[in-house]
Amino acid sequence: MITFLSGGTGTPKLLRGMQKVMDRHEIAVIVNTAEDVWISGNHISPDVDTVMYLFAGILNTDTWWGIRSDTFTTHEEVKNLGIDEYIGIGDKDRAVHIARGEMLRNGMRLTNVTKILCERYGVRETVLPMTDTEVTTQVKTDIGYIDYQEYWVRARGKIDIHEVVRSFNEPPVATPEALEAIEASDAVVIGPSNPITSILPILTCEGIKDAIKGKIVIAVSPFIGDGPVSGPAAALMKAADYEPNSIGTFNCYGGLTDVFVQDIRDPVAVSHSVRFDTLMVDEEKSIALAKDILGLIETCR
Ligand code: GDP
């Protein structure tokens, strides 16, 4: 078994390859939930949804969110009724958010809700939210603190940010299921996800760091040079006082990694790193990187 730590874009691209070259039952994914929000009364867990839809074979892999060929009838009508729904939510996607919200309101743990949804979609991999309690990520802007989704989706990342904060009613604790998955794994792979908004929230859940310490830990950089492959990671790294590159990513993981993987094109040198082609522009590239990482794990054993 291998446990992956994942956000909603970079690591899912790697998982797309992994599911083709591994026994799918041997894949466990601990997924970031610090970007979760309630919108129009329903519960969106963007990274959990992306990972679940990927494994269900229904993910829109043009955007890496939402369900392929979904329609937006409800979203358009909700907006016509004057509701400021700033995320374009597809109709089938919304059904998942309605179901999740309903189950959570009935007192179910997010882990169990995710398990039920994954079963309904025939997912064979194990998809595990990092924690069962709510965590919110906010960024400090010139007009005060706003939710991360407001910054990235509504403002399209086009405003300056000065700080990244996570808020919660109780400090997030890793679920027993997440810790058991790590315990049962030969290796932990920190995928090429946003270090600040996807990976750090997982690593700071109580119990995760201790659990992965005894394992082979491989981290893949989401940066090539001074820019991420996509998304707002550079601005977030700067706001969190890390260099926006592979060195900053390596430092951000605080010595937890046994092997750090950088792209073959990355001009930034992290000492003792391993170089692979990490640019997963299509499924073949994802499969190739997945094989490289499995080979690496073999040599680390
Ligand atoms: P989010 O939850 O949607 O922000 O997605 P993630 O945190 O999972 O992933 C975002 C990160 O994925 C960005 O920082 C990108 O640089 C990185 N990324 C996206 N595609 C690739 C790729 O093909 N290769 C690598 N190395 N990183 C990628």
Side-chain angles (χ1 to χ4, degrees):
M1 171 116 104
I2 299 177
T3 295
F4 297 83
L5 310 190
S6 182
T9 308
T11 307
K13 287 186 187 174
L14 175 61
L15 293 168
R16 183 195 205 184
M18 283 292 174
Q19 66 173 175
K20 295 283 177 344
V21 296
M22 277 184 74
D23 176 349
R24 298 179 62 164
H25 295 98
E26 295 291 309
I27 295 176
V29 190
I30 300 175
V31 188
N32 170 46
T33 60
E35 291 172 30
D36 290 16
V37 277
W38 289 85
I39 289 189
S40 304
N42 305 315
H43 190 268
I44 305 188
S45 192
D47 295 354
V48 170
D49 284 343
T50 292
V51 172
M52 179 171 74
Y53 296 159
L54 170 79
F55 291 147
I58 58 173
L59 179 67
N60 179 350
T61 49
D62 294 332
T63 54
W64 290 87
W65 58 267
I67 294 176
R68 196 171 49 233
S69 308
D70 209 348
T71 51
F72 289 82
T73 310
T74 310
H75 177 65
E76 292 306 329
E77 199 58 16
V78 163
K79 285 208 308 193
N80 287 342
L81 294 172
I83 302 293
D84 179 23
E85 196 174 74
Y86 63 91
I87 299 182
I89 300 167
D91 295 315
K92 288 183 184 166
D93 196 16
R94 187 185 304 272
V96 170
H97 306 156
I98 292 172
R100 181 187 291 117
E102 191 61 11
M103 288 189 256
L104 288 173
R105 275 191 293 269
N106 288 337
M108 208 180 272
R109 296 163 58 216
L110 183 60
T111 299
N112 290 338
V113 173
T114 307
K115 189 163 187 265
I116 288 172
L117 293 172
C118 282
E119 279 167 7
R120 301 258 155 92
Y121 280 116
V123 170
R124 284 166 274 176
E125 297 80 357
T126 307
V127 182
L128 301 166
M130 64 183 198
T131 186
D132 282 321
T133 56
E134 286 192 20
V135 183
T136 307
T137 301
Q138 292 197 311
V139 290
K140 188 178 180 187
T141 70
D142 292 335
I143 50 155
Y145 290 93
I146 58 170
D147 278 355
Y148 172 72
Q149 298 292 353
E150 297 249 356
Y151 160 69
W152 179 234
V153 183
R154 193 200 290 272
R156 299 178 192 277
K158 286 188 177 137
I159 46 178
D160 290 338
I161 53 171
H162 313 293
E163 193 190 352
V164 184
V165 287
R166 277 186 295 281
S167 47
F168 32 73
N169 288 331
E170 46 193 296
V173 177
T175 65
E177 289 85 351
L179 298 179
E180 280 159 21
I182 294 172
E183 183 55 40
S185 291
D186 304 314
V188 173
V189 175
I190 302 176
S193 281
N194 187 320
I196 305 300
T197 53
S198 295
I199 301 300
L200 271 191
I202 303 175
L203 291 177
T204 46
C205 285
E206 191 188 314
I208 293 280
K209 279 187 188 160
D210 283 343
I212 71 175
K213 262 177 196 152
K215 301 289 170 182
I216 300 165
V217 181
I218 293 173
V220 184
S221 179
F223 281 92
I224 301 178
D226 291 336
V229 174
S230 61
L236 289 154
M237 291 285 277
K238 282 187 217 157
D241 286 333
Y242 289 102
E243 278 181 63
N245 57 26
S246 289
I247 292 176
T249 304
F250 179 78
N251 290 337
C252 184
Y253 299 155
L256 279 174
T257 49
D258 295 307
V259 185
F260 191 74
V261 176
Q262 285 182 268
D263 191 84
I264 44 172
R265 307 160 190 83
D266 193 347
V268 175
V270 175
S271 52
H272 307 300
S273 72
V274 168
R275 299 278 185 158
F276 293 139
D277 184 350
T278 74
L279 205 48
M280 295 171 282
V281 289
D282 55 29
E283 191 172 61
E284 271 81 84
K285 290 283 188 185
S286 295
I287 291 173
L289 181 59
K291 284 182 182 163
D292 286 338
I293 289 173
L294 291 183
L296 189 58
I297 292 171
E298 273 310 308
T299 59
C300 290
R301 287 217 231 208

